[in-house]
Amino acid sequence: HRIAKYNIKSRLNLRNDQRIYDLAKACQNRISEMEAQHLGNIAWAYGKLGISIPSLFDAIADFALKMAHEFDAQTLSNTAWAFATVRIKKPKLFEALAQNAILKFDHEFKAQDFAIICWAFATINYQAIDFYKSLAKVVTARLEKKGEQIFFSPQNLSNIMWAYATVG
C-alpha cells in the first residue's frame, strides 16, 4: 500500500522490479489469512501501480467472493476500482461487490465511494441494473435533502453521470 503512493517515476520503475512480483506471490500464498481490508489494499496498490498480475487478482477475486459481505464501503469501491484499473473482468466478483454495495448505500457510503464504484463498474462495462437503480435512488434522495447537495463534489457528480452515460 505504501509503495503505491510513490511518485509516478518511482512507480514506473517498480514495474520492472522483481520484488514487486515476489511480493505478489507472497500475498497469494497467504491470501487465506487475510481480512477484507487486506484484500482491498493489495488490489488497490497493484491497481495504483498499474501492474496486472492475473494470478494475484484471481486469488483476490476468489477469496473476496467468500468474504465480500465483510467489505466496508471503501473496500468495496477500492477493490472494484483496482480490478477496473488493470482491466481484469471478474463478473462473479463484481456481482458480489454490487450486491453488498446496495446493502450499504444508505448508511455507509461516502460520496467518493459512490463515485469510485460507479467509475469502476462503467469502466469494465458491468451491467448491473439493480445496482444502478439503487444507486440512483440513494443519490437522488441525498440531493433532494436540504443541505445534502454539498455531500457530492462536482467531481463525484461528474463521475457518477459519466458512469450512467457509459453503461447506457
Side-chain angles (χ1 to χ4, degrees):
H1 182 260
R2 191 175 316 266
I3 293 171
K5 291 188 174 187
Y6 285 176
N7 67 44
I8 188 71
K9 185 177 179 184
S10 297
R11 286 197 314 256
L12 291 174
N13 289 336
L14 287 172
R15 289 183 183 160
N16 298 319
D17 191 330
Q18 183 57 43
R19 292 174 294 184
I20 290 297
Y21 299 90
D22 294 342
L23 185 57
K25 188 67 170 168
C27 290
Q28 285 176 244
N29 291 339
R30 301 204 50 197
I31 203 115
S32 65
E33 300 171 40
M34 295 189 185
E35 296 174 13
Q37 186 176 355
H38 301 147
L39 296 177
N41 286 349
I42 291 165
W44 177 87
Y46 279 89
K48 181 77 172 175
L49 291 168
I51 298 175
S52 176
I53 302 174
S55 59
L56 174 63
F57 279 88
D58 287 347
I60 291 170
D62 291 345
F63 200 63
L65 281 171
K66 298 174 188 171
M67 63 187 327
H69 63 282
E70 296 177 29
F71 282 29
D72 63 15
Q74 184 177 4
T75 303
L76 287 165
S77 60
N78 284 349
T79 302
W81 176 89
F83 277 78
T85 298
V86 296
R87 304 295 195 264
I88 294 179
K89 292 184 178 185
K90 292 288 182 183
K92 287 182 182 177
L93 173 64
F94 273 74
E95 182 178 328
L97 296 177
Q99 289 172 357
N100 284 285
I102 290 168
L103 297 174
K104 297 174 183 187
F105 277 165
D106 283 330
H107 61 279
E108 200 174 313
F109 265 63
K110 297 177 183 167
Q112 186 173 3
D113 300 322
F114 285 113
I116 290 170
I117 203 164
C118 279
W119 178 89
F121 282 19
T123 296
I124 64 158
N125 198 28
Y126 180 67
Q127 301 288 322
I129 302 304
D130 290 340
F131 170 83
Y132 291 110
K133 283 182 180 178
S134 296
L135 176 76
K137 183 179 176 184
V138 172
V139 169
T140 302
R142 291 230 175 136
L143 290 172
E144 289 174 350
K145 273 188 180 176
K146 190 171 187 172
E148 285 286 317
Q149 289 85 0
I150 60 171
F151 179 80
F152 293 101
S153 72
Q155 183 67 52
N156 297 147
L157 291 171
S158 67
N159 285 358
I160 292 168
M161 289 311 304
W162 174 85
Y164 276 97
T166 300
V167 297

